[in-house]
């Protein structure tokens, strides 16, 4: 119950700082290692989501050097969703991001994007002003990837090599089709030529990075 109390309290920076000073981050991180008690492990993960919204807490989390454990817990489950939400925060810390990439975080998050399991699962956290935010497995994985691959060449290449461009392509197509349906009859949101390019399955060189540039599709 202590972790649940921490989670409920850690909704303002002033309270997060007090919790940090009293060792809340380290104790919640220790709960992640309790493989024989999944409820306790989950409680720790949920508390850390709210705690790590404060930069000082996120850095203390990173100091615990548990990136390998975090990556191993990624899966299309409620726990995996909570861990992805934590990774989103840690991805902003360079040294932690380096360790996670080395442990294969990009590939595990991409697997979550493509998974059809447990699509109904949602994990609820609170943003820095206390507003409840519900996040499903797909959204949590995508949000984590945004911070992990940002300005990180190796992570970007891993992202592309894992086939994630197919996911982005399908997502973009769904969004375009949805926007098209909202338009007046006869209005073309996207030209047929541009849409044909989106339909083309052939890889395209992005033109960046010189010879052997990133393939975007």
């Amino acid at each position: 119950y202590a972790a649940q109390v921490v989670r409920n309290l850690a909704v303002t920076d002033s309270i997060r700082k007090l919790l940090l000073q009293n060792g809340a981050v380290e104790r919640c991180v220790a709960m992640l290692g309790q493989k024989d008690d999944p409820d306790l492990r989950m409680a720790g993960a949920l508390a850390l989501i709210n705690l790590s919204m404060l930069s000082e807490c996120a850095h203390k989390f990173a100091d615990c050097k548990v990136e390998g454990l975090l990556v191993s817990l990624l899966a299309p489950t409620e726990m995996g969703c909570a861990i992805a939400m934590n990774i989103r925060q840690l991805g902003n810390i360079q040294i932690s991001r380096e360790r996670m990439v080395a442990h294969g975080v990009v590939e595990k998050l991409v697997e979550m994007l493509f998974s059809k399991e447990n699509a109904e699962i949602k994990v609820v956290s609170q943003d820095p002003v206390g507003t409840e935010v519900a996040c499903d497995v797909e959204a949590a994985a995508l949000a984590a990837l945004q911070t992990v691959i940002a300005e990180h060449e190796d992570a970007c290449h891993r992202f592309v090599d894992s086939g994630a461009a197919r996911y982005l392509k399908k997502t973009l197509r769904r969004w375009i089709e949805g926007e098209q349906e909202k338009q007046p009859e006869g209005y073309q949101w996207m030209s047929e030529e541009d849409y044909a390019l989106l339909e083309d399955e052939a890889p395209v060189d992005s033109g960046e990075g010189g010879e052997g540039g990133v393939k975007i599709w």
Side-chain angles (χ1 to χ4, degrees), residues 5 32 39 46 62 86 90 110 119 137 146 158 173-174 177 180 190-191 194:
V5 172
L32 297 179
D39 290 337
L46 293 173
N86 277 298
L90 290 180
V110 170
V137 170
Q146 288 175 338
R158 287 170 178 258
R173 183 187 295 118
R174 289 198 303 266
E177 291 172 348
Q180 185 65 53
M190 188 178 193
S191 72
D194 287 340

Side-chain angles (χ1 to χ4, degrees), residues 60-132:
K60 177 61 71 173
F61 192 176
D63 290 343
C64 295
K65 299 181 180 179
V66 292
E67 288 84 1
L69 173 61
L70 294 177
V71 172
S72 72
L73 293 174
L74 287 172
T77 62
E78 187 177 11
M79 170 59 75
C81 184
I83 294 298
M85 294 170 76
N86 277 298
I87 285 175
R88 180 188 182 188
Q89 305 298 334
L90 290 180
N92 292 312
I93 301 172
Q94 183 176 354
I95 185 61
S96 187
R97 177 167 51 176
E98 293 288 349
R99 291 194 289 254
M100 289 190 292
V101 170
H103 282 290
V105 68
V106 174
E107 293 80 0
K108 291 293 288 288
L109 288 170
V110 170
E111 287 178 10
M112 290 173 66
L113 285 182
F114 283 108
S115 175
K116 302 301 182 184
E117 298 178 41
N118 302 324
E120 74 286 352
I121 286 177
K122 290 185 184 295
V123 169
V124 177
S125 65
Q126 293 179 312
D127 67 13
V129 296
T131 304
E132 286 195 347

Side-chain angles (χ1 to χ4, degrees), residues 50-67:
N50 284 2
L51 283 168
S52 60
M53 289 181 182
L54 178 69
S55 177
E56 293 98 313
C57 288
H59 278 83
K60 177 61 71 173
F61 192 176
D63 290 343
C64 295
K65 299 181 180 179
V66 292
E67 288 84 1

Side-chain angles (χ1 to χ4, degrees), residues 1 28 42 52 69 104 114 116 128 158 171 183 195 197 217:
Y1 294 106
C28 289
M42 185 66 183
S52 60
L69 173 61
F114 283 108
K116 302 301 182 184
R158 287 170 178 258
T171 301
Q183 302 302 329
Y195 198 85
L197 289 175
W217 291 138

